Amino acid sequence: MTTYIVLLGPPGAGKGTQAEVISDRLKLAHISSGDIFRENLKNETDLGKLAQGYMNRGELVPDDVTIAMIRERLTRPDCAQGAVLDGFPRTPAQATALDGMLKELGGTVRCVPYINVPSEVLVSRLSGRWTCQQGHVYHVVFNPPQVAGKCDVDGLELYQREDDQPATVERRIRVYLEQTSPLIEYYRERGLLREVDGTQAIDQVTADLLAAIQKG
Ligand code: AP5
Ligand code: MG
């Protein structure tokens, strides 16, 4: 049976950090819409060029483009057992589209852990974040790499994301509250939402998420 898990939470909640560990433990693909856009940006593809302006402004890339991108990603062989979705869906239209896509693939969303972190904590998380080109995530204080400036996993140089500038972070949080937070109710109504306290230490959040997923 395929297992699809949607990680919900504001920018900086720890979706990427947790999706990496959880997908590894559960042997599922990790699909990060933001990472796919950033990969396209780096490779200067048409999709990357289209997404760039939206991302730099802290706005959402249009639904039709994003949905088509995820539809294609979900059919790849590494998703045969399912996937942990990190950053998708982000609007009600995306959530409805996901339900349709999974139906076509013979699956459904199994559960939706919501990593709850208040807005005032998010700013310090994002201003101290360093990332590698493969999407591995660190924090200068909360989760430093073993060697400063280098990724523990692949040795790649770490960089700060363009959209982690304070003004853009503020915009991203606003966009989240306006366009994405309605999904909390969408999934609660369907009995799929599992709230986890995302202000705890990283390992404790992982433990709570795994426990929530195990309960189904
Ligand atoms: P995306 O890349 O998805 O960014 P985001 O949702 O804003 O989320 P982040 O990646 O910033 O945060 P995160 O929750 O992954 O936290 P992380 O684990 O890194 O999207 C970027 C852009 O792409 C969007 O703005 C939009 O333009 C576009 N886009 C993407 N998806 C889209 C979609 N579906 N539709 C339309 N447009 C889309 O952790 C953050 C920091 O905190 C790190 O430094 C980490 O080390 C630290 N940390 C993590 N957990 C803890 C903890 N428990 N305690 C202390 N520190 C912690
Ligand atoms: Mg992320």
Side-chain angles (χ1 to χ4, degrees):
M1 210 188 79
T2 45
T3 303
Y4 298 100
I5 292 159
V6 170
L7 283 189
L8 207 58
K15 301 183 296 296
T17 302
Q18 298 298 338
E20 198 186 324
V21 184
I22 287 168
S23 57
D24 190 53
R25 294 272 181 92
L26 303 180
K27 305 278 173 274
L28 300 172
H30 171 193
I31 301 183
S32 159
S33 42
D35 284 354
I36 304 176
F37 283 132
R38 280 183 288 278
E39 179 75 20
N40 276 278
L41 224 85
K42 193 182 77 182
N43 295 331
E44 298 179 0
T45 66
D46 289 344
L47 178 62
K49 284 175 198 154
L50 185 145
Q52 185 164 31
Y54 295 100
M55 294 176 81
N56 287 347
R57 288 192 298 276
E59 293 167 9
L60 296 183
V61 179
D63 280 338
D64 55 346
V65 175
T66 307
I67 290 167
M69 176 179 91
I70 296 296
R71 182 187 295 281
E72 188 278 322
R73 180 66 186 85
L74 279 169
T75 58
R76 299 226 193 132
D78 67 324
C79 296
Q81 303 305 313
V84 177
L85 291 157
D86 152 16
F88 182 94
R90 239 174 163 100
T91 62
Q94 292 181 15
T96 315
L98 177 65
D99 290 342
M101 285 182 228
L102 296 187
K103 201 167 172 195
E104 280 169 31
L105 292 167
T108 54
V109 174
R110 168 149 145 204
C111 76
V112 181
Y114 161 45
I115 309 178
N116 191 0
V117 177
S119 297
E120 58 273 17
V121 179
L122 302 173
V123 178
S124 65
R125 288 220 185 152
L126 294 177
S127 61
R129 169 166 64 187
W130 289 78
T131 311
C132 88
Q133 291 289 0
Q134 297 296 324
H136 300 118
V137 182
Y138 301 88
H139 190 282
V140 276
V141 179
F142 307 133
N143 185 23
Q146 277 159 19
V147 178
K150 292 256 185 280
C151 178
D152 293 351
V153 182
D154 43 39
L156 292 173
E157 214 155 298
L158 301 180
Y159 74 100
Q160 286 195 288
R161 270 169 49 177
E162 194 68 33
D163 60 348
D164 279 346
Q165 321 256 3
T168 319
V169 166
E170 210 177 289
R171 177 91 185 108
R172 285 163 57 204
I173 294 172
R174 247 195 352 259
V175 166
Y176 166 81
L177 293 172
E178 286 166 14
Q179 301 189 48
T180 307
S181 67
L183 295 187
I184 296 170
E185 277 317 307
Y186 180 90
Y187 286 118
R188 203 198 303 276
E189 280 167 10
R190 285 159 180 74
L192 295 171
L193 198 82
R194 310 281 180 268
E195 187 165 337
V196 167
D197 177 3
T199 63
Q200 307 173 95
I202 291 174
D203 289 350
Q204 188 57 51
V205 178
T206 307
D208 285 6
L209 286 170
L210 288 170
I213 293 165
Q214 237 74 69
K215 277 194 213 144

